[in-house]
Amino acid sequence: RFCFRLDAASMVGDAEADEEESQVATNLAKAAALKEEGNEAFKRGDYKAAMIAYHQIYMYVHGFSETSGGAGASSSPAGLPWSPRKSVTEAETAQLRSLKVAHFSNLAACHLKLGAVPKARDCCSKALALDPGHLKARFRRGKCLAALGALDDARDDLETVLRADPENREAHRELRELKMRLAAQRRREAKKFAGFFDRLVGEAADGGPPEDSPDGGDQSGSAEQSLPREEAEAPPDAPTPAPAEAAAAAAAPPSPP
Protein backbone atom coordinates (compact mmCIF):
# COMPACT_ATOMS: atom_id res chain seq x y z
CA ARG A 1 0.00 0.00 0.00
CA PHE A 2 2.81 2.42 0.84
CA CYS A 3 4.54 1.78 -2.49
CA PHE A 4 1.26 2.31 -4.31
CA ARG A 5 0.84 5.73 -2.73
CA LEU A 6 4.34 6.77 -3.77
CA ASP A 7 3.67 5.66 -7.29
CA ALA A 8 0.36 7.49 -7.37
CA ALA A 9 1.95 10.71 -6.10
CA SER A 10 4.69 10.35 -8.67
CA MET A 11 2.14 9.86 -11.41
CA VAL A 12 0.22 12.97 -10.33
CA GLY A 13 3.44 15.02 -10.25
CA ASP A 14 4.44 13.82 -13.70
CA ALA A 15 0.98 14.67 -15.05
CA GLU A 16 1.15 18.18 -13.61
CA ALA A 17 4.63 18.70 -15.01
CA ASP A 18 3.49 17.55 -18.45
CA GLU A 19 0.47 19.85 -18.25
CA GLU A 20 2.63 22.83 -17.29
CA GLU A 21 5.13 22.08 -20.06
CA SER A 22 2.22 21.96 -22.47
CA GLN A 23 0.94 25.29 -21.10
CA VAL A 24 4.28 27.00 -21.68
CA ALA A 25 4.42 25.70 -25.24
CA THR A 26 0.80 26.71 -25.85
CA ASN A 27 1.35 30.22 -24.54
CA LEU A 28 4.47 30.68 -26.62
CA ALA A 29 2.57 29.55 -29.73
CA LYS A 30 -0.34 31.93 -29.01
CA ALA A 31 1.99 34.85 -28.39
CA ALA A 32 3.86 34.17 -31.63
CA ALA A 33 0.57 34.01 -33.53
CA LEU A 34 -0.52 37.34 -32.05
CA LYS A 35 2.77 38.87 -33.11
CA GLU A 36 2.16 37.76 -36.70
CA GLU A 37 -1.42 39.03 -36.55
CA GLY A 38 -0.15 42.41 -35.40
CA ASN A 39 2.48 42.47 -38.14
CA GLU A 40 -0.15 41.84 -40.83
CA ALA A 41 -2.38 44.60 -39.48
CA PHE A 42 0.59 46.97 -39.35
CA LYS A 43 1.43 46.24 -43.00
CA ARG A 44 -2.16 47.08 -43.94
CA GLY A 45 -1.86 50.38 -42.11
CA ASP A 46 -4.39 49.34 -39.47
CA TYR A 47 -2.27 50.48 -36.54
CA LYS A 48 -5.01 50.27 -33.93
CA ALA A 49 -5.71 46.64 -34.78
CA ALA A 50 -1.99 45.97 -34.69
CA MET A 51 -1.79 47.51 -31.21
CA ILE A 52 -4.61 45.27 -29.97
CA ALA A 53 -2.75 42.18 -31.15
CA TYR A 54 0.58 43.31 -29.73
CA HIS A 55 -1.03 44.16 -26.39
CA GLN A 56 -2.39 40.62 -26.09
CA ILE A 57 1.10 39.18 -26.32
CA TYR A 58 1.57 40.45 -22.76
CA MET A 59 -1.05 38.01 -21.47
CA TYR A 60 0.89 35.01 -22.67
CA VAL A 61 4.54 35.85 -21.98
CA HIS A 62 4.61 37.80 -18.70
CA GLY A 63 4.70 36.17 -15.29
CA PHE A 64 6.57 32.94 -15.88
CA SER A 65 9.17 32.06 -13.26
CA GLU A 66 12.76 31.44 -14.24
CA THR A 67 13.44 29.70 -10.91
CA SER A 68 12.25 26.38 -9.55
CA GLY A 69 8.72 26.09 -8.16
CA GLY A 70 7.78 26.89 -4.60
CA ALA A 71 9.02 30.03 -2.86
CA GLY A 72 11.00 31.15 -5.91
CA ALA A 73 8.15 30.90 -8.35
CA SER A 74 6.07 33.93 -9.20
CA SER A 75 2.33 33.93 -8.63
CA SER A 76 -0.11 34.24 -11.50
CA PRO A 77 -1.33 37.82 -11.99
CA ALA A 78 -5.10 38.13 -11.92
CA GLY A 79 -6.77 37.50 -15.23
CA LEU A 80 -3.75 35.99 -17.03
CA PRO A 81 -4.26 32.60 -18.71
CA TRP A 82 -1.72 30.44 -16.88
CA SER A 83 -0.46 29.37 -13.48
CA PRO A 84 3.31 29.96 -13.61
CA ARG A 85 4.46 27.41 -11.07
CA LYS A 86 7.02 25.78 -13.31
CA SER A 87 10.49 27.06 -13.98
CA VAL A 88 10.93 27.54 -17.73
CA THR A 89 13.92 26.18 -19.57
CA GLU A 90 16.73 28.32 -20.94
CA ALA A 91 15.37 27.99 -24.46
CA GLU A 92 11.87 28.93 -23.33
CA THR A 93 13.26 31.89 -21.41
CA ALA A 94 14.92 33.15 -24.60
CA GLN A 95 11.64 32.80 -26.52
CA LEU A 96 9.67 34.57 -23.82
CA ARG A 97 12.16 37.45 -23.70
CA SER A 98 12.12 37.78 -27.48
CA LEU A 99 8.33 38.01 -27.50
CA LYS A 100 8.35 40.55 -24.65
CA VAL A 101 10.78 42.71 -26.61
CA ALA A 102 8.60 42.40 -29.73
CA HIS A 103 5.57 43.39 -27.64
CA PHE A 104 7.21 46.68 -26.57
CA SER A 105 9.11 47.46 -29.77
CA ASN A 106 6.14 46.86 -32.07
CA LEU A 107 3.84 48.88 -29.82
CA ALA A 108 6.39 51.69 -30.13
CA ALA A 109 6.16 51.48 -33.92
CA CYS A 110 2.36 51.81 -33.71
CA HIS A 111 2.56 54.76 -31.32
CA LEU A 112 4.97 56.48 -33.70
CA LYS A 113 2.58 56.04 -36.61
CA LEU A 114 -0.26 57.45 -34.51
CA GLY A 115 1.80 60.41 -33.31
CA ALA A 116 2.06 59.36 -29.66
CA VAL A 117 5.80 60.02 -29.51
CA PRO A 118 6.32 59.99 -25.71
CA LYS A 119 4.52 56.63 -25.44
CA ALA A 120 6.64 55.28 -28.30
CA ARG A 121 9.81 56.43 -26.55
CA ASP A 122 8.76 54.73 -23.30
CA CYS A 123 7.97 51.45 -25.05
CA CYS A 124 11.36 51.51 -26.75
CA SER A 125 13.09 52.05 -23.41
CA LYS A 126 11.25 49.06 -21.94
CA ALA A 127 12.30 46.90 -24.88
CA LEU A 128 15.92 48.03 -24.50
CA ALA A 129 15.85 47.27 -20.76
CA LEU A 130 15.21 43.64 -21.75
CA ASP A 131 17.55 43.60 -24.74
CA PRO A 132 20.00 46.52 -25.06
CA GLY A 133 21.16 45.18 -28.42
CA HIS A 134 17.75 45.35 -30.09
CA LEU A 135 18.49 47.66 -33.00
CA LYS A 136 14.91 48.36 -34.09
CA ALA A 137 13.98 49.56 -30.62
CA ARG A 138 17.20 51.60 -30.46
CA PHE A 139 16.52 53.19 -33.84
CA ARG A 140 12.90 53.97 -33.00
CA ARG A 141 13.88 55.54 -29.71
CA GLY A 142 16.42 57.68 -31.55
CA LYS A 143 13.64 58.97 -33.82
CA CYS A 144 11.42 59.64 -30.80
CA LEU A 145 14.13 61.55 -28.96
CA ALA A 146 14.87 63.64 -32.05
CA ALA A 147 11.17 64.49 -32.39
CA LEU A 148 11.05 65.46 -28.71
CA GLY A 149 14.07 67.74 -29.03
CA ALA A 150 16.55 65.58 -27.11
CA LEU A 151 19.03 65.83 -29.96
CA ASP A 152 22.19 64.70 -28.18
CA ASP A 153 20.48 61.58 -26.79
CA ALA A 154 18.97 60.85 -30.20
CA ARG A 155 22.43 61.08 -31.79
CA ASP A 156 23.79 58.60 -29.23
CA ASP A 157 21.09 56.04 -30.09
CA LEU A 158 21.52 56.44 -33.85
CA GLU A 159 25.30 56.17 -33.63
CA THR A 160 24.89 53.00 -31.55
CA VAL A 161 22.72 51.53 -34.31
CA LEU A 162 25.28 52.41 -36.98
CA ARG A 163 28.18 50.94 -35.03
CA ALA A 164 26.30 47.62 -34.99
CA ASP A 165 24.85 47.97 -38.51
CA PRO A 166 26.97 50.34 -40.64
CA GLU A 167 24.80 49.70 -43.72
CA ASN A 168 21.55 50.83 -42.11
CA ARG A 169 20.33 53.46 -44.59
CA GLU A 170 17.47 54.71 -42.45
CA ALA A 171 19.80 55.32 -39.53
CA HIS A 172 22.26 57.15 -41.81
CA ARG A 173 19.47 59.38 -43.12
CA GLU A 174 18.11 60.14 -39.64
CA LEU A 175 21.59 60.88 -38.30
CA ARG A 176 22.39 63.18 -41.24
CA GLU A 177 19.23 65.20 -40.63
CA LEU A 178 19.91 65.22 -36.92
CA LYS A 179 23.42 66.60 -37.37
CA MET A 180 22.01 69.43 -39.49
CA ARG A 181 19.58 70.27 -36.69
CA LEU A 182 22.37 70.13 -34.11
CA ALA A 183 24.54 72.47 -36.18
CA ALA A 184 21.67 74.95 -36.57
CA GLN A 185 20.94 74.77 -32.86
CA ARG A 186 24.55 75.48 -31.96
CA ARG A 187 24.66 78.45 -34.35
CA ARG A 188 21.57 79.89 -32.70
CA GLU A 189 23.07 79.37 -29.26
CA ALA A 190 26.37 80.98 -30.30
CA LYS A 191 24.54 83.98 -31.75
CA LYS A 192 22.42 84.33 -28.63
CA PHE A 193 25.38 84.26 -26.28
CA ALA A 194 27.41 86.59 -28.49
CA GLY A 195 24.62 89.17 -28.31
CA PHE A 196 24.39 88.76 -24.56
CA PHE A 197 28.11 89.39 -24.08
CA ASP A 198 28.02 92.34 -26.50
CA ARG A 199 25.33 93.96 -24.38
CA LEU A 200 27.39 93.44 -21.24
CA VAL A 201 30.46 95.03 -22.84
CA GLY A 202 28.42 97.98 -24.12
CA GLU A 203 26.89 98.66 -20.72
CA ALA A 204 30.31 98.55 -19.07
CA ALA A 205 31.75 101.03 -21.61
CA ASP A 206 28.85 103.55 -21.52
CA GLY A 207 27.89 103.59 -17.86
CA GLY A 208 29.69 105.63 -15.08
CA PRO A 209 29.82 104.77 -11.42
CA PRO A 210 26.43 104.28 -9.82
CA GLU A 211 24.77 107.29 -8.19
CA ASP A 212 25.09 105.83 -4.73
CA SER A 213 28.78 105.06 -5.20
CA PRO A 214 31.16 106.73 -2.70
CA ASP A 215 33.04 108.10 -5.70
CA GLY A 216 29.95 109.27 -7.50
CA GLY A 217 29.06 112.44 -5.55
CA ASP A 218 29.15 115.99 -6.84
CA GLN A 219 32.78 117.10 -7.08
CA SER A 220 32.05 120.56 -8.55
CA GLY A 221 32.13 122.52 -5.23
CA SER A 222 35.16 124.71 -4.34
CA ALA A 223 37.39 124.39 -1.35
CA GLU A 224 35.69 127.47 0.13
CA GLN A 225 32.39 125.58 0.34
CA SER A 226 33.97 123.07 2.66
CA LEU A 227 35.28 125.76 5.09
CA PRO A 228 33.38 127.53 7.90
CA ARG A 229 31.50 130.57 6.63
CA GLU A 230 33.38 133.23 8.63
CA GLU A 231 36.74 131.85 7.65
CA ALA A 232 35.83 131.84 4.03
CA GLU A 233 34.61 135.50 4.14
CA ALA A 234 37.66 137.02 5.98
CA PRO A 235 39.93 139.00 3.64
CA PRO A 236 43.36 137.50 3.31
CA ASP A 237 46.09 138.79 5.65
CA ALA A 238 43.69 141.22 7.52
CA PRO A 239 43.85 140.69 11.26
CA THR A 240 40.56 140.83 13.08
CA PRO A 241 40.56 143.73 15.78
CA ALA A 242 40.14 142.70 19.35
CA PRO A 243 36.80 143.69 20.95
CA ALA A 244 38.38 146.11 23.58
CA GLU A 245 40.37 148.05 20.98
CA ALA A 246 37.34 148.45 18.81
CA ALA A 247 35.28 149.95 21.68
CA ALA A 248 38.03 152.48 22.64
CA ALA A 249 38.36 153.64 19.08
CA ALA A 250 34.65 154.26 18.85
CA ALA A 251 34.56 156.37 22.09
CA ALA A 252 37.63 158.58 21.34
CA PRO A 253 36.92 162.22 20.15
CA PRO A 254 37.67 163.00 16.62
CA SER A 255 41.10 164.44 15.85
CA PRO A 256 41.26 168.17 15.02
CA PRO A 257 41.62 169.02 11.41
Side-chain angles (χ1 to χ4, degrees):
R1 185 180 299 174
F2 180 69
C3 291
F4 173 76
R5 287 177 181 172
L6 282 177
D7 291 341
S10 176
M11 290 174 64
V12 170
D14 289 345
E16 288 179 350
D18 290 342
E19 182 180 352
E20 288 174 348
E21 288 175 2
S22 174
Q23 176 125 52
V24 174
T26 299
N27 283 12
L28 286 170
K30 286 182 177 178
L34 285 166
K35 177 185 173 185
E36 291 305 316
E37 180 183 333
N39 290 348
E40 290 301 319
F42 189 90
K43 290 175 184 177
R44 295 194 307 269
D46 191 350
Y47 305 121
K48 291 184 178 179
M51 288 181 69
I52 292 171
Y54 294 142
H55 267 300
Q56 290 182 74
I57 293 174
Y58 179 94
M59 298 175 61
Y60 295 96
V61 298
H62 284 252
F64 283 98
S65 172
E66 297 182 24
T67 60
S68 59
S74 62
S75 59
S76 175
L80 297 185
W82 75 90
S83 177
R85 294 173 292 169
K86 173 188 172 292
S87 127
V88 295
T89 66
E90 186 176 345
E92 289 168 340
T93 297
Q95 288 179 286
L96 288 167
R97 183 178 293 112
S98 175
L99 287 164
K100 289 176 186 178
V101 172
H103 158 73
F104 288 120
S105 180
N106 292 353
L107 277 176
C110 293
H111 284 310
L112 267 175
K113 290 292 186 180
L114 296 172
V117 179
K119 289 183 178 180
R121 175 204 56 199
D122 294 344
C123 284
C124 290
S125 293
K126 291 175 181 178
L128 291 169
L130 292 167
D131 181 6
H134 196 271
L135 296 184
K136 286 185 178 180
R138 182 78 62 182
F139 172 73
R140 287 168 185 159
R141 191 175 71 172
K143 289 184 66 174
C144 292
L145 291 169
L148 293 170
L151 303 186
D152 289 324
D153 291 337
R155 180 189 58 195
D156 291 343
D157 272 346
L158 293 172
E159 287 178 347
T160 299
V161 171
L162 288 171
R163 282 194 294 271
D165 181 12
E167 303 303 319
N168 191 316
R169 293 183 179 179
E170 286 185 286
H172 275 296
R173 184 181 68 250
E174 289 291 333
L175 185 59
R176 188 163 51 248
E177 293 175 1
L178 180 63
K179 286 181 176 179
M180 292 172 63
R181 289 180 61 190
L182 278 166
Q185 182 186 68
R186 293 200 167 100
R187 285 195 298 270
R188 287 193 301 270
E189 290 174 351
K191 185 176 179 180
K192 176 181 176 181
F193 283 112
F196 174 73
F197 288 124
D198 288 343
R199 287 195 300 273
L200 286 181
V201 171
E203 289 172 1
D206 296 339
E211 293 181 359
D212 57 351
S213 169
D215 298 327
D218 186 6
Q219 302 296 324
S220 62
S222 65
E224 291 183 356
Q225 292 176 323
S226 64
L227 298 175
R229 182 175 182 83
E230 59 274 10
E231 184 177 346
E233 293 176 349
D237 303 326
T240 302
E245 294 176 348
S255 301

